[in-house]
Amino acid sequence: MTDDRGDLVLVTGAGGFIGGHLIGELRRLGHRRLRAVDVKPAEQWYQTFSDVDNRTLDLRDRDACRQAAHGAREIYNLACDMGGMGFIETHKAECMISVLINTHMLMAARDAKAERYFYASSACVYAAGKQTRPDVAPLVEEDAYPAMPEDGYGWEKLFSERMCRHFREDFGLETRMARYHNVYGPHGTYEGGREKAPAAICRKVIAAQLTGDKEIEVWGDGEQTRSFMFIDDCLYGTRTLMHSEVREPINIGSDELVTINQLIDIVEDIAGVRVKRRYKLDAPKGVRGRCSDNTLIKQKLGWAPSVRLRDGLEKTYRWIHDEMVMPTDRRRQYA
């Protein structure tokens, strides 16, 4: 498949963190016809571009999906109702309702005769029994079955992966599926309850500096482990997968495993400060350990995410710091 940059490309969830970055990257690469869709009003999007066809549509509705997909050659479906662990553990039904988005978008893509369809899945599809130890074995793609994913959000993602597979088999729609592992970076949520651990830790350490109260709250005992992928790696992996011949779901994530305490250590070093840690053991904390196995992506794409956590966190910290110290009337307001 040729990457014709004069053809219409649709990005759903474009008002969100990854979607906003993806629109920006496609513009930078010379795509001239871009449509950006999100359920939020445009003034609440994390990034907007005046030369893009920006639309506010609720993609849980089938007619809205038809409007979004009309004329599109490629569709990147990033739209869903999600957040960090604090959100997905307490909003299971809301997360599962996102199944309407992918179902209706697949139907709209088929009817619009789109050539390629990308679905943003998640490492939350992996079986819980494989993630019970901090020194977790990296998760290979086969570990999603027998199925026991994250309740709510993970089930929706796993079901939607199967929908993508069957639309390819039954209707010839070329679908691509990425299992993202904890994407972070600038221009994303860092407060309000939907933020993920890297942004939350950055915010807490910055707030401790600004207020002089050198104590932060940590969810769990801090010994749970994760791998975190910087947004630049996410974007490259997404575009490369979209134009590949890889039809099965594939990990796009870092294999640099750290504890949450180690994550805090890195942010402290960047900030030049030490904080006291108050552990909240009854807070949502998810599985005990999770890390991406990148064997398959290296085999299939000849590449794997490689941005060091320290390097990505430094950029993220600086952006969040500037946002927090900027006068209120100049700050972007997040929903």
Side-chain angles (χ1 to χ4, degrees), residues 224-305:
Q224 62 269 41
T225 56
R226 295 292 186 274
S227 64
F228 300 99
M229 174 174 55
F230 191 59
I231 184 63
D232 290 0
D233 276 338
C234 177
L235 298 176
Y236 183 85
T238 295
R239 293 186 297 100
T240 304
L241 175 61
M242 179 63 135
H243 296 108
S244 76
E245 296 309 310
V246 179
R247 288 173 162 176
E248 66 265 38
I250 194 166
N251 285 332
I252 298 184
S254 170
D255 57 6
E256 183 183 352
L257 184 68
V258 296
T259 67
I260 297 302
N261 279 326
Q262 289 171 330
L263 175 65
I264 298 170
D265 291 343
I266 297 171
V267 175
E268 286 180 328
D269 287 343
I270 293 168
V273 68
R274 289 290 177 265
V275 296
K276 181 179 179 181
R277 304 170 192 188
R278 185 177 72 257
Y279 295 99
K280 185 173 174 58
L281 300 182
D282 60 349
K285 46 193 172 286
V287 296
R288 191 63 172 160
R290 176 179 292 157
C291 187
S292 177
D293 184 295
N294 289 341
T295 302
L296 186 61
I297 195 171
K298 290 176 181 176
Q299 291 175 350
K300 296 290 187 178
L301 301 183
W303 171 88

Coordinates of all heavy atoms in Angstrom, one line a residue, residues 224-305:
Q224 N 4.9 -2.1 42.8 CA 4.3 -2.6 41.6 C 5.1 -2.1 40.4 O 5.7 -1.0 40.4 CB 2.8 -2.1 41.5 CG 2.6 -0.7 41.4 CD 2.3 0.0 42.7 OE1 3.0 -0.3 43.7 NE2 1.4 0.9 42.8
T225 N 5.2 -2.9 39.4 CA 6.1 -2.6 38.2 C 5.3 -2.3 36.9 O 4.3 -2.9 36.7 CB 7.1 -3.7 38.0 OG1 6.4 -4.9 37.8 CG2 8.1 -3.8 39.2
R226 N 5.9 -1.5 36.1 CA 5.3 -1.2 34.8 C 6.5 -0.8 33.8 O 7.6 -0.5 34.2 CB 4.4 0.0 34.9 CG 3.1 -0.1 35.7 CD 2.2 -1.1 35.1 NE 0.9 -1.2 35.8 CZ 0.7 -1.9 36.9 NH1 1.7 -2.7 37.3 NH2 -0.5 -1.9 37.5
S227 N 6.1 -0.8 32.5 CA 7.0 -0.2 31.5 C 6.2 1.0 30.9 O 5.0 0.9 30.8 CB 7.4 -1.2 30.4 OG 6.3 -1.7 29.7
F228 N 6.9 2.0 30.6 CA 6.3 3.3 30.1 C 6.9 3.7 28.8 O 8.1 3.7 28.6 CB 6.4 4.4 31.1 CG 5.8 4.1 32.5 CD1 6.6 3.6 33.5 CD2 4.5 4.2 32.7 CE1 6.1 3.4 34.7 CE2 3.9 3.9 33.9 CZ 4.7 3.5 35.0
M229 N 6.0 4.0 27.8 CA 6.5 4.3 26.4 C 6.3 5.8 26.1 O 5.1 6.3 26.3 CB 5.7 3.4 25.4 CG 6.0 3.8 24.0 SD 5.3 2.7 22.7 CE 3.5 2.8 23.1
F230 N 7.3 6.4 25.7 CA 7.2 7.8 25.3 C 6.4 8.0 24.0 O 6.5 7.2 23.1 CB 8.6 8.4 25.1 CG 8.6 9.9 25.0 CD1 8.1 10.7 26.0 CD2 9.2 10.5 23.9 CE1 8.1 12.1 25.9 CE2 9.2 11.9 23.8 CZ 8.7 12.7 24.8
I231 N 5.7 9.1 23.9 CA 4.8 9.4 22.8 C 5.5 9.3 21.4 O 4.9 8.8 20.5 CB 4.1 10.8 23.0 CG1 3.1 11.0 21.9 CG2 5.1 11.9 23.1 CD1 1.9 10.0 21.9
D232 N 6.7 9.7 21.3 CA 7.4 9.6 20.0 C 7.5 8.2 19.5 O 7.3 7.9 18.3 CB 8.8 10.3 20.1 CG 8.8 11.8 20.3 OD1 7.7 12.3 20.3 OD2 9.9 12.4 20.4
D233 N 7.8 7.3 20.4 CA 7.9 5.9 20.0 C 6.5 5.4 19.6 O 6.3 4.6 18.7 CB 8.4 5.0 21.2 CG 9.9 5.0 21.2 OD1 10.6 5.2 20.2 OD2 10.5 4.7 22.3
C234 N 5.5 5.8 20.4 CA 4.1 5.4 20.1 C 3.7 5.8 18.7 O 3.1 5.0 17.9 CB 3.2 6.0 21.1 SG 1.4 5.7 20.8
L235 N 4.0 7.0 18.3 CA 3.6 7.6 17.0 C 4.3 6.8 15.9 O 3.7 6.4 14.9 CB 3.9 9.1 16.9 CG 3.2 10.0 17.9 CD1 3.7 11.4 17.7 CD2 1.7 9.9 17.7
Y236 N 5.6 6.6 16.0 CA 6.4 5.9 15.0 C 5.8 4.4 14.8 O 5.6 3.9 13.7 CB 7.9 5.9 15.3 CG 8.7 5.2 14.2 CD1 9.1 5.9 13.1 CD2 9.0 3.8 14.3 CE1 9.8 5.3 12.1 CE2 9.7 3.2 13.3 CZ 10.1 4.0 12.2 OH 10.8 3.3 11.2
G237 N 5.6 3.8 16.0 CA 5.1 2.4 15.9 C 3.8 2.3 15.3 O 3.5 1.4 14.5
T238 N 2.9 3.3 15.6 CA 1.5 3.3 15.1 C 1.6 3.4 13.6 O 0.9 2.7 12.9 CB 0.7 4.4 15.7 OG1 0.6 4.2 17.1 CG2 -0.6 4.5 15.1
R239 N 2.3 4.4 13.1 CA 2.3 4.6 11.6 C 3.0 3.4 10.9 O 2.5 3.0 9.8 CB 3.0 5.9 11.3 CG 2.3 7.2 11.8 CD 3.0 8.4 11.3 NE 4.3 8.6 11.8 CZ 5.5 8.3 11.1 NH1 5.4 7.8 9.9 NH2 6.7 8.5 11.7
T240 N 4.0 2.9 11.5 CA 4.7 1.8 10.8 C 3.8 0.5 10.8 O 3.8 -0.1 9.8 CB 6.0 1.5 11.6 OG1 6.8 2.6 11.7 CG2 6.8 0.4 10.9
L241 N 3.1 0.3 11.9 CA 2.2 -0.9 11.9 C 1.1 -0.7 10.9 O 0.7 -1.6 10.2 CB 1.6 -1.0 13.3 CG 0.6 -2.1 13.4 CD1 1.1 -3.5 13.1 CD2 0.0 -2.1 14.9
M242 N 0.5 0.5 10.8 CA -0.6 0.8 9.9 C -0.2 0.4 8.5 O -1.0 -0.1 7.7 CB -1.0 2.3 10.0 CG -2.1 2.7 9.0 SD -3.6 1.9 9.4 CE -4.8 3.2 9.3
H243 N 1.0 0.7 8.0 CA 1.4 0.5 6.7 C 2.2 -0.8 6.5 O 2.8 -1.1 5.4 CB 2.2 1.6 6.1 CG 1.4 2.9 6.1 ND1 1.6 3.9 7.0 CD2 0.3 3.2 5.3 CE1 0.7 4.9 6.7 NE2 -0.1 4.5 5.7
S244 N 2.1 -1.7 7.5 CA 2.8 -3.0 7.4 C 1.8 -4.1 7.0 O 0.6 -3.8 6.7 CB 3.3 -3.4 8.8 OG 2.3 -3.8 9.7
E245 N 2.2 -5.3 6.9 CA 1.4 -6.4 6.6 C 1.1 -7.3 7.8 O 0.7 -8.4 7.7 CB 2.0 -7.3 5.5 CG 2.1 -6.5 4.2 CD 0.8 -5.9 3.7 OE1 -0.3 -6.5 3.7 OE2 0.8 -4.6 3.4
V246 N 1.3 -6.7 9.0 CA 1.1 -7.4 10.3 C -0.4 -7.3 10.6 O -0.9 -6.2 11.0 CB 1.9 -6.8 11.4 CG1 1.7 -7.5 12.7 CG2 3.4 -6.8 11.1
R247 N -1.1 -8.4 10.6 CA -2.5 -8.4 10.8 C -3.0 -8.8 12.2 O -4.1 -8.5 12.6 CB -3.2 -9.4 9.8 CG -3.2 -8.9 8.4 CD -3.7 -10.0 7.4 NE -4.1 -9.4 6.1 CZ -4.5 -10.1 5.1 NH1 -4.5 -11.4 5.2 NH2 -4.8 -9.5 4.0
E248 N -2.1 -9.5 13.0 CA -2.4 -9.9 14.3 C -2.1 -8.7 15.3 O -1.3 -7.8 15.0 CB -1.6 -11.1 14.7 CG -0.1 -10.9 14.9 CD 0.6 -11.3 13.6 OE1 0.1 -11.1 12.5 OE2 1.7 -11.9 13.8
P249 N -2.8 -8.7 16.5 CA -2.5 -7.7 17.5 C -1.0 -7.8 17.9 O -0.4 -8.9 18.0 CB -3.4 -8.1 18.7 CG -4.5 -8.9 18.1 CD -3.9 -9.6 16.9
I250 N -0.4 -6.6 18.1 CA 1.0 -6.6 18.4 C 1.3 -5.6 19.5 O 0.7 -4.5 19.6 CB 1.8 -6.3 17.2 CG1 3.3 -6.6 17.4 CG2 1.6 -4.9 16.7 CD1 4.1 -6.7 16.0
N251 N 2.3 -5.9 20.4 CA 2.7 -5.0 21.5 C 3.4 -3.8 20.8 O 4.3 -3.9 20.0 CB 3.7 -5.6 22.4 CG 3.0 -6.6 23.4 OD1 1.9 -6.5 23.7 ND2 3.8 -7.6 23.8
I252 N 3.0 -2.6 21.3 CA 3.8 -1.4 21.1 C 4.0 -0.8 22.5 O 3.2 -0.2 23.0 CB 3.2 -0.4 20.1 CG1 3.0 -1.0 18.7 CG2 4.0 0.9 20.0 CD1 2.4 0.0 17.7
G253 N 5.2 -1.1 23.0 CA 5.5 -0.6 24.4 C 7.0 -0.8 24.7 O 7.7 -1.5 24.0
S254 N 7.4 -0.1 25.7 CA 8.8 -0.2 26.2 C 9.0 -1.5 27.0 O 8.0 -2.0 27.6 CB 9.1 1.0 27.0 OG 10.4 0.8 27.7
D255 N 10.2 -2.0 26.9 CA 10.5 -3.2 27.8 C 11.4 -2.8 28.9 O 12.0 -3.7 29.6 CB 11.2 -4.3 26.9 CG 12.4 -3.9 26.2 OD1 12.9 -2.8 26.4 OD2 12.9 -4.7 25.4
E256 N 11.5 -1.5 29.2 CA 12.3 -1.0 30.4 C 11.4 -1.0 31.6 O 10.6 -0.1 31.9 CB 12.7 0.4 30.1 CG 13.6 1.0 31.2 CD 14.0 2.5 31.0 OE1 13.8 3.0 29.8 OE2 14.6 3.1 31.9
L257 N 11.5 -2.1 32.4 CA 10.6 -2.3 33.6 C 11.2 -1.5 34.8 O 12.3 -1.6 35.1 CB 10.6 -3.8 33.9 CG 9.7 -4.2 35.0 CD1 8.2 -4.1 34.6 CD2 9.9 -5.7 35.4
V258 N 10.3 -0.8 35.5 CA 10.6 -0.1 36.7 C 9.5 -0.2 37.7 O 8.3 -0.4 37.4 CB 10.9 1.4 36.4 CG1 12.1 1.6 35.5 CG2 9.6 2.1 35.9
T259 N 9.9 -0.1 39.0 CA 8.8 0.0 40.0 C 8.3 1.5 40.0 O 9.0 2.4 39.5 CB 9.4 -0.3 41.4 OG1 10.4 0.7 41.8 CG2 10.0 -1.7 41.4
I260 N 7.2 1.7 40.7 CA 6.7 3.0 40.8 C 7.7 3.8 41.7 O 7.9 5.0 41.5 CB 5.3 3.0 41.4 CG1 4.3 2.4 40.5 CG2 4.8 4.5 41.7 CD1 4.2 3.0 39.1
N261 N 8.3 3.2 42.7 CA 9.3 3.9 43.5 C 10.5 4.3 42.7 O 11.0 5.5 42.8 CB 9.8 3.0 44.6 CG 8.8 3.0 45.8 OD1 8.2 4.0 46.1 ND2 8.7 1.8 46.5
Q262 N 10.9 3.5 41.7 CA 12.0 3.9 40.8 C 11.6 5.1 39.9 O 12.4 5.9 39.6 CB 12.4 2.7 40.0 CG 13.2 1.7 40.8 CD 13.5 0.4 40.1 OE1 12.7 0.0 39.2 NE2 14.6 -0.3 40.4
L263 N 10.3 5.0 39.5 CA 9.8 6.1 38.7 C 9.9 7.4 39.5 O 10.3 8.5 38.9 CB 8.3 5.8 38.3 CG 7.6 6.9 37.5 CD1 8.1 7.2 36.2 CD2 6.1 6.5 37.4
I264 N 9.5 7.4 40.7 CA 9.6 8.6 41.6 C 11.0 9.0 41.7 O 11.4 10.2 41.7 CB 8.9 8.3 43.0 CG1 7.5 8.0 42.8 CG2 9.1 9.5 43.9 CD1 6.8 7.5 44.1
D265 N 12.0 8.1 41.9 CA 13.4 8.4 42.0 C 13.8 9.2 40.8 O 14.6 10.2 41.0 CB 14.2 7.1 42.1 CG 14.1 6.4 43.4 OD1 13.6 6.9 44.4 OD2 14.4 5.2 43.4
I266 N 13.4 8.8 39.6 CA 13.8 9.5 38.4 C 13.3 10.9 38.4 O 14.0 11.9 38.0 CB 13.4 8.7 37.1 CG1 14.1 7.3 37.1 CG2 13.7 9.5 35.9 CD1 13.6 6.4 36.0
V267 N 12.0 11.1 38.7 CA 11.4 12.4 38.7 C 12.1 13.3 39.8 O 12.3 14.5 39.5 CB 9.9 12.3 38.9 CG1 9.2 13.7 39.0 CG2 9.2 11.5 37.8
E268 N 12.4 12.7 40.9 CA 13.1 13.5 41.9 C 14.4 14.0 41.4 O 14.8 15.2 41.6 CB 13.3 12.6 43.2 CG 12.1 12.4 44.0 CD 12.4 11.5 45.2 OE1 13.3 10.7 45.1 OE2 11.8 11.7 46.3
D269 N 15.2 13.2 40.7 CA 16.5 13.6 40.1 C 16.3 14.7 39.1 O 17.1 15.6 39.1 CB 17.1 12.4 39.4 CG 17.7 11.4 40.4 OD1 17.8 11.7 41.6 OD2 18.0 10.2 40.0
I270 N 15.3 14.6 38.3 CA 15.0 15.6 37.3 C 14.7 17.0 38.0 O 15.1 18.0 37.6 CB 13.9 15.2 36.4 CG1 14.3 14.0 35.5 CG2 13.4 16.4 35.5 CD1 13.2 13.4 34.7
A271 N 13.9 16.9 39.1 CA 13.4 18.0 39.8 C 14.5 18.6 40.7 O 14.4 19.8 41.1 CB 12.1 17.7 40.6
G272 N 15.4 17.8 41.1 CA 16.4 18.2 42.1 C 15.9 18.4 43.4 O 16.2 19.3 44.2
V273 N 15.0 17.4 43.8 CA 14.4 17.5 45.1 C 14.1 16.1 45.6 O 14.1 15.1 44.9 CB 13.0 18.3 45.0 CG1 12.0 17.5 44.2 CG2 12.4 18.6 46.4
R274 N 14.0 15.9 47.0 CA 13.6 14.7 47.6 C 12.3 14.9 48.3 O 12.1 15.9 49.0 CB 14.7 14.2 48.5 CG 16.0 13.7 47.8 CD 15.7 12.4 47.0 NE 16.9 12.0 46.3 CZ 17.1 12.3 45.0 NH1 16.2 13.0 44.3 NH2 18.2 11.8 44.4
V275 N 11.4 13.9 48.2 CA 10.1 14.0 48.8 C 9.9 12.8 49.7 O 10.4 11.7 49.5 CB 9.0 14.1 47.8 CG1 9.1 15.4 46.9 CG2 8.9 12.9 46.9
K276 N 9.0 13.1 50.7 CA 8.6 12.0 51.6 C 7.4 11.3 50.9 O 6.6 11.9 50.3 CB 8.2 12.5 53.0 CG 7.7 11.4 53.9 CD 7.3 12.0 55.3 CE 6.8 10.9 56.2 NZ 6.4 11.5 57.5
R277 N 7.4 10.0 51.0 CA 6.3 9.2 50.3 C 5.3 8.6 51.3 O 5.7 7.9 52.2 CB 7.0 8.1 49.5 CG 8.0 8.6 48.5 CD 8.8 7.5 47.8 NE 9.9 8.2 47.1 CZ 10.8 7.5 46.3 NH1 10.6 6.2 46.1 NH2 11.8 8.2 45.7
R278 N 4.1 9.0 51.1 CA 3.0 8.5 52.0 C 2.2 7.4 51.2 O 1.5 7.8 50.2 CB 2.1 9.6 52.4 CG 1.0 9.2 53.4 CD 0.2 10.4 53.9 NE -0.7 10.9 52.8 CZ -0.5 12.0 52.1 NH1 0.6 12.7 52.3 NH2 -1.3 12.4 51.2
Y279 N 2.3 6.2 51.5 CA 1.7 5.1 50.7 C 0.3 4.9 51.1 O -0.1 4.7 52.3 CB 2.6 3.8 50.9 CG 4.0 4.0 50.4 CD1 5.0 4.2 51.2 CD2 4.2 3.9 49.0 CE1 6.3 4.4 50.7 CE2 5.5 4.0 48.5 CZ 6.6 4.2 49.4 OH 7.8 4.4 48.9
K280 N -0.6 4.9 50.1 CA -2.0 4.7 50.3 C -2.3 3.3 49.7 O -2.5 3.0 48.6 CB -2.8 5.7 49.5 CG -4.3 5.6 49.7 CD -5.0 6.8 49.0 CE -6.5 6.7 49.1 NZ -7.0 6.6 50.5
L281 N -2.3 2.3 50.7 CA -2.4 0.9 50.3 C -3.7 0.5 49.8 O -3.8 -0.5 49.1 CB -2.0 0.1 51.5 CG -0.6 0.3 52.0 CD1 -0.3 -0.6 53.2 CD2 0.5 0.2 51.0
D282 N -4.8 1.2 50.1 CA -6.1 0.9 49.6 C -6.5 1.6 48.3 O -7.6 1.5 47.8 CB -7.2 1.1 50.7 CG -7.2 2.6 51.0 OD1 -6.3 3.4 50.6 OD2 -8.2 3.0 51.8
A283 N -5.6 2.3 47.7 CA -5.9 3.0 46.4 C -5.8 2.0 45.2 O -5.2 1.0 45.3 CB -4.9 4.1 46.2
P284 N -6.5 2.4 44.1 CA -6.4 1.5 42.9 C -5.0 1.4 42.5 O -4.3 2.4 42.4 CB -7.3 2.3 41.9 CG -8.2 3.2 42.7 CD -7.4 3.5 44.0
K285 N -4.6 0.2 42.1 CA -3.2 0.0 41.7 C -3.0 -0.9 40.6 O -1.9 -1.1 40.1 CB -2.3 -0.3 42.9 CG -2.9 -1.4 43.8 CD -2.1 -1.5 45.1 CE -2.8 -2.5 46.1 NZ -4.0 -1.8 46.7
G286 N -4.1 -1.6 40.2 CA -4.0 -2.5 39.0 C -3.2 -3.8 39.3 O -3.0 -4.2 40.5
V287 N -2.7 -4.4 38.3 CA -1.9 -5.6 38.4 C -0.6 -5.4 39.1 O -0.1 -4.2 39.1 CB -1.7 -6.3 37.0 CG1 -3.0 -6.7 36.4 CG2 -0.9 -5.4 36.1
R288 N 0.1 -6.4 39.6 CA 1.3 -6.2 40.3 C 2.5 -5.9 39.4 O 3.4 -5.2 39.8 CB 1.6 -7.5 41.1 CG 2.7 -7.4 42.2 CD 2.4 -6.4 43.2 NE 3.4 -6.4 44.3 CZ 3.5 -5.3 45.1 NH1 2.8 -4.3 45.0 NH2 4.4 -5.4 46.1
G289 N 2.5 -6.5 38.2 CA 3.6 -6.2 37.3 C 3.1 -6.3 35.9 O 2.3 -7.2 35.5
R290 N 3.7 -5.5 35.0 CA 3.3 -5.5 33.6 C 4.5 -4.9 32.7 O 5.0 -3.8 33.0 CB 2.1 -4.7 33.3 CG 1.7 -4.7 31.8 CD 0.4 -3.9 31.6 NE -0.7 -4.7 32.1 CZ -1.9 -4.1 32.5 NH1 -2.0 -2.8 32.4 NH2 -2.9 -4.8 32.9
C291 N 4.9 -5.7 31.7 CA 6.0 -5.2 30.9 C 5.8 -5.8 29.5 O 5.3 -6.9 29.3 CB 7.3 -5.7 31.4 SG 8.8 -5.0 30.6
S292 N 6.2 -5.1 28.5 CA 6.0 -5.5 27.1 C 7.2 -6.4 26.6 O 8.4 -6.1 26.8 CB 6.0 -4.3 26.2 OG 5.9 -4.6 24.8
D293 N 6.8 -7.5 26.0 CA 7.8 -8.4 25.3 C 7.8 -7.9 23.9 O 6.8 -7.9 23.2 CB 7.4 -9.8 25.4 CG 8.4 -10.7 24.7 OD1 8.6 -10.6 23.5 OD2 9.0 -11.6 25.4
N294 N 9.0 -7.5 23.4 CA 9.1 -6.9 22.0 C 9.7 -7.8 21.0 O 10.1 -7.3 19.9 CB 9.9 -5.6 22.2 CG 9.1 -4.5 22.9 OD1 7.9 -4.5 23.0 ND2 9.9 -3.5 23.3
T295 N 9.7 -9.1 21.3 CA 10.2 -10.0 20.3 C 9.5 -10.0 19.0 O 10.1 -9.9 17.9 CB 10.1 -11.5 20.9 OG1 10.9 -11.5 22.1 CG2 10.7 -12.5 19.9
L296 N 8.2 -10.0 19.0 CA 7.4 -10.0 17.8 C 7.5 -8.7 17.0 O 7.7 -8.8 15.7 CB 5.9 -10.3 18.1 CG 5.0 -10.5 16.9 CD1 5.4 -11.7 16.1 CD2 3.5 -10.7 17.3
I297 N 7.5 -7.6 17.6 CA 7.5 -6.3 16.9 C 8.9 -6.2 16.2 O 9.0 -5.7 15.1 CB 7.2 -5.1 17.8 CG1 6.9 -3.9 16.9 CG2 8.3 -4.8 18.8 CD1 6.4 -2.7 17.6
K298 N 10.0 -6.7 16.9 CA 11.3 -6.7 16.3 C 11.4 -7.6 15.1 O 12.0 -7.2 14.0 CB 12.4 -7.1 17.3 CG 12.6 -6.1 18.4 CD 13.6 -6.6 19.4 CE 13.8 -5.5 20.6 NZ 14.7 -6.1 21.6
Q299 N 10.7 -8.7 15.2 CA 10.7 -9.7 14.0 C 9.9 -9.1 12.9 O 10.3 -9.2 11.7 CB 10.1 -11.0 14.5 CG 10.9 -11.8 15.4 CD 10.2 -13.1 15.9 OE1 9.0 -13.3 15.7 NE2 11.0 -13.9 16.6
K300 N 8.7 -8.5 13.2 CA 7.8 -8.1 12.1 C 8.1 -6.7 11.5 O 8.0 -6.5 10.3 CB 6.4 -8.1 12.7 CG 5.8 -9.5 13.1 CD 5.6 -10.4 11.9 CE 4.9 -11.7 12.4 NZ 4.6 -12.5 11.2
L301 N 8.5 -5.8 12.4 CA 8.8 -4.4 11.9 C 10.2 -4.0 11.9 O 10.6 -2.9 11.5 CB 8.0 -3.5 12.8 CG 6.4 -3.7 12.8 CD1 5.8 -2.6 13.6 CD2 5.9 -3.7 11.4
G302 N 11.1 -4.9 12.5 CA 12.5 -4.5 12.6 C 12.8 -3.3 13.4 O 13.8 -2.6 13.2
W303 N 12.0 -3.1 14.4 CA 12.0 -1.9 15.3 C 11.3 -2.2 16.6 O 10.5 -3.1 16.7 CB 11.4 -0.8 14.6 CG 11.2 0.5 15.4 CD1 12.1 1.5 15.6 CD2 10.1 0.8 16.2 NE1 11.6 2.4 16.5 CE2 10.3 2.0 16.9 CE3 8.8 0.2 16.5 CZ2 9.4 2.6 17.7 CZ3 7.9 0.8 17.4 CH2 8.2 2.0 18.0
A304 N 11.7 -1.5 17.6 CA 11.0 -1.5 18.9 C 11.2 -0.2 19.6 O 12.2 0.5 19.4 CB 11.4 -2.7 19.8
P305 N 10.2 0.2 20.5 CA 10.4 1.5 21.2 C 11.7 1.5 22.0 O 12.1 0.5 22.6 CB 9.2 1.4 22.2 CG 8.2 0.6 21.5 CD 8.9 -0.4 20.8

